[in-house]
Amino acid sequence: MQTNPTHTSLVAVGDSFTEGMSDLLPDGSYRGWADLLAARMAARSPGFRYANLAVRGKLIGQIVDEQVDVAAAMGADVITLVGGLNDTLRPKCDMARVRDLLTQAVERLAPNCKQLVLMRSPGRQGPVLERFRPRMEALFAIIDDLAGQHGAVVVDLYRAQSLADPRLWDVDRLHLTADGHRRVAEAVWQTLGYEPEDPQWHAPIPATPPPGWITRRTADVRFARQHLLPWIGRRLTGRSSGDGLPAKRPELLPYEGPA
């Protein structure tokens, strides 16, 4: 891969991870790793254009139906595709169907950009997600296989020790904090061949004294009430947090935004 390349455009495809939850800005919108990456790339390429088609809660079938053809038609230098993880977290998940849909997405996107970027998503420590880990790893095996077949690069966030640390996850325990998104942007930046700005983005975070028992239990109760139970309810009823929401940045336009 080219070292310190110059890209003129980026299109991001996916779900809440790519939309930027929970990297909250003062105006109530989300920033996230894709916006941070676009800002860096724009600083190197005048007139740089960026679109972010991601919508929270989307399953891989919805991403294929609603985002993939739109992204392919934009003809960007770089397209990032992160999807399928929401499927693995559903009570029932057909991994063969997930593979078929991801294959469709990659086959449409890879010929229509200079570089397709896929990801092994980060996986935090904790009992709630532990039961889904075999599905997650099956998803990552599919991603690795597709990347090899179609010349995509894979950003391996799953094995990054820093991103497994609960301190880099928001109170909902499903989305990264601002520092987590910063590290993801750095990982993609380096995978694309740019000079590292943080060579140790993946390294373990220095230890801090753990919170006390009462603090932990209070956080557990708040998490269950505010996040876990509503999340389970949506899974069981087939609803999504992104129902009715538009794409974050639906058009490929010159990048302007907070960094």
Side-chain angles (χ1 to χ4, degrees):
M1 178 175 292
Q2 181 182 358
T3 301
N4 283 326
T6 298
H7 296 111
T8 63
S9 52
L10 167 68
V11 175
V13 173
D15 51 34
S16 60
F17 177 70
T18 301
E19 185 185 344
M21 296 173 72
S22 292
D23 185 5
L24 192 64
L25 293 169
D27 65 359
S29 64
Y30 292 109
R31 179 176 52 182
W33 66 265
D35 283 15
L36 292 168
L37 178 66
R40 286 196 191 185
M41 296 170 78
R44 287 175 171 257
S45 179
F48 181 86
R49 296 176 300 151
Y50 170 50
N52 189 324
L53 307 180
V55 177
R56 68 196 71 172
K58 293 299 182 181
L59 302 173
I60 186 59
Q62 295 169 309
I63 291 172
V64 170
D65 291 342
E66 300 167 14
Q67 300 179 32
V68 166
D69 284 344
V70 177
M74 290 177 173
D77 284 355
V78 177
I79 298 178
T80 65
L81 168 64
V82 187
L85 193 61
N86 283 333
D87 297 77
T88 70
L89 300 179
R90 295 274 171 157
K92 296 181 180 180
C93 176
D94 184 345
M95 290 304 297
R97 182 172 183 273
V98 170
R99 171 184 281 277
D100 289 345
L101 289 166
L102 275 170
T103 300
Q104 290 179 39
V106 171
E107 287 179 346
R108 294 181 196 176
L109 294 174
N112 289 290
C113 64
K114 292 182 179 178
Q115 184 62 67
L116 179 62
V117 178
L118 307 178
M119 290 191 196
R120 292 167 141 247
S121 302
R124 63 157 287 164
Q125 300 167 351
V128 174
L129 291 181
E130 196 61 37
R131 61 172 296 194
F132 300 106
R133 200 168 297 278
R135 288 184 187 172
M136 293 170 60
E137 294 182 350
L139 173 67
F140 300 154
I142 293 169
I143 289 168
D144 289 344
D145 184 48
L146 288 171
Q149 293 179 45
H150 296 278
V153 294
V154 178
V155 183
D156 189 1
L157 307 176
Y158 186 60
R159 292 189 294 182
Q161 291 178 290
S162 62
L163 296 179
D165 193 311
R167 290 172 292 176
L168 286 188
W169 293 77
D170 192 44
V171 293
D172 67 1
R173 305 182 185 182
L174 286 173
H175 300 105
L176 292 168
T177 63
D179 188 38
H181 279 282
R182 180 193 64 79
R183 291 169 186 263
V184 173
E186 178 68 32
V188 183
W189 176 259
Q190 292 185 26
T191 301
L192 286 170
Y194 292 101
E195 188 71 23
E197 295 186 13
D198 178 10
Q200 299 301 314
W201 69 267
H202 50 78
I205 301 172
T208 57
W213 185 88
I214 294 178
T215 300
R216 296 198 306 273
R217 295 294 78 78
T218 300
D220 289 342
V221 171
R222 182 178 61 182
F223 160 69
R225 183 176 63 251
Q226 297 181 359
H227 302 288
L228 180 59
L229 292 178
W231 178 82
I232 292 173
R234 291 195 299 271
R235 300 291 81 75
L236 293 176
T237 59
R239 293 179 292 114
S240 167
S241 58
D243 288 347
L245 294 181
K248 182 176 183 177
R249 295 174 60 101
E251 298 181 73
L252 187 61
L253 298 173
Y255 176 79
E256 294 180 2

